[in-house]
Amino acid sequence: MNRQFQLDVFGEALLLLSAAHRLGRLDSDGRRAAEVAADAIARRRHEPDAGIGELENRPWTHSRLICAAGLRSLAETAPARVAASWAALADRIVAATSATALHPAGRWQRSPGDPHVDAALLPPLRGALSAEDPRTRATLLAFERELTTGHYAYRFRHDERPLEEAEGAFLLCGFIMALAEHQQHRHEEALRWFERNRAACGTTGLFAEEFDIRQRQLRGNVPQAFVHALFLESATRLAAPPP
């Protein structure tokens, strides 16, 4: 694992640093870290990487789009010269990714050589594209059609088996769907996603990585920090008054 290259972590780091800036917590070390991350994206964005799923090296679509999201987010708070450079880089990344990894149906696909849908392909949640972008809406519709059942969501299709036989529903993905529906102003549907996945906790109230919808049992790592993080983010956003 220490030999893996994951391009997406640079975009995630920029999103974190941007959040720190909004809270008045970004110091000089943080600003320097942002410059290093942006430079790494500029230099290495064409390289195959292991992606968020830590799979074989490919030019994963999610990795490129989350980097664009991070660049756009931090550009909003950077000095004008740097902001223009980062915003332009984000535009180039999205354009290049659209040229190679946009499915004929108008949605994002996992990589240039893989036409399938993936839960990671919902980058508008972090600002890579707008919620109104046709690629955003086409991807959300395809994901809901192909990788969800009963308001549970799966990462991606492993093979021809039914989704629930390959692995458990990913609770992280269920909360992402709640956020995605909320972003599309479908508040009632967002609440359905939130409540269905909120109920999939153990007797302690903690979440695992996965949930077996047939046996109604937790699966995978427990407790899983990233599920709790998305649970809290979903609760906060859905409880806020409409903008």
Side-chain angles (χ1 to χ4, degrees):
M1 184 174 293
N2 66 349
R3 296 180 181 275
Q4 280 185 355
F5 170 52
Q6 289 182 254
L7 179 67
D8 62 300
V9 300
F10 297 109
E12 298 284 4
L14 288 178
L15 289 168
L16 179 62
L17 293 168
S18 178
H21 183 277
R22 291 194 299 273
L23 295 171
R25 302 295 297 272
L26 187 66
D27 58 14
S28 58
D29 287 341
R31 286 188 287 272
R32 174 57 184 154
E35 293 172 2
V36 170
D39 180 65
I41 292 171
R43 289 186 295 104
R44 305 193 67 178
R45 62 190 176 94
H46 298 295
E47 295 181 32
D49 71 296
I52 192 173
E54 297 183 281
L55 304 171
E56 70 275 10
N57 285 344
R58 293 187 195 174
W60 295 103
T61 302
H62 166 266
S63 295
R64 277 84 194 144
L65 295 180
I66 202 67
C67 285
L71 289 164
R72 292 197 201 286
S73 184
L74 207 57
E76 294 176 359
T77 63
R81 179 184 57 80
V82 178
S85 174
W86 289 354
L89 177 57
D91 289 342
R92 290 197 299 273
I93 291 172
V94 171
T97 307
S98 189
T100 60
L102 193 66
H103 191 273
R107 60 165 174 81
W108 296 110
Q109 61 184 46
R110 298 184 77 199
S111 70
D114 185 341
H116 295 94
V117 188
D118 192 307
L121 297 176
L122 299 174
L125 289 177
R126 304 303 178 211
L129 298 95
S130 72
E132 294 76 25
D133 190 291
R135 294 166 293 186
T136 298
R137 290 177 168 165
T139 303
L140 178 58
L141 289 173
F143 177 76
E144 189 167 11
R145 181 176 61 250
E146 298 181 27
L147 290 175
T148 72
T149 179
H151 288 87
Y152 291 109
Y154 295 82
R155 293 186 300 166
F156 50 81
R157 185 171 290 281
H158 291 265
D159 47 43
E160 296 305 315
R161 289 176 293 171
L163 291 169
E164 64 273 13
E165 291 184 10
E167 66 179 7
F170 256 62
L171 297 179
L172 168 73
C173 301
F175 290 123
I176 287 175
M177 278 298 296
L179 290 172
E181 294 288 10
H182 180 67
Q183 189 184 48
Q184 295 293 327
H185 307 292
R186 295 194 285 263
H187 192 61
E188 290 185 2
E189 188 65 11
L191 289 174
R192 291 188 185 98
W193 275 100
F194 177 79
E195 291 297 340
R196 173 54 59 88
N197 288 270
R198 182 188 63 82
C201 62
T203 54
T204 61
L206 297 175
F207 295 102
E209 187 175 28
E210 304 173 33
F211 185 71
D212 187 321
I213 67 172
R214 286 184 172 180
Q215 299 189 23
R216 314 297 296 178
Q217 291 181 343
L218 303 179
R219 292 282 185 264
N221 299 324
V222 59
Q224 183 59 268
F226 60 41
V227 179
H228 292 84
L230 263 293
F231 162 68
L232 293 172
E233 181 181 358
S234 300
T236 301
R237 290 203 188 189
L238 269 60

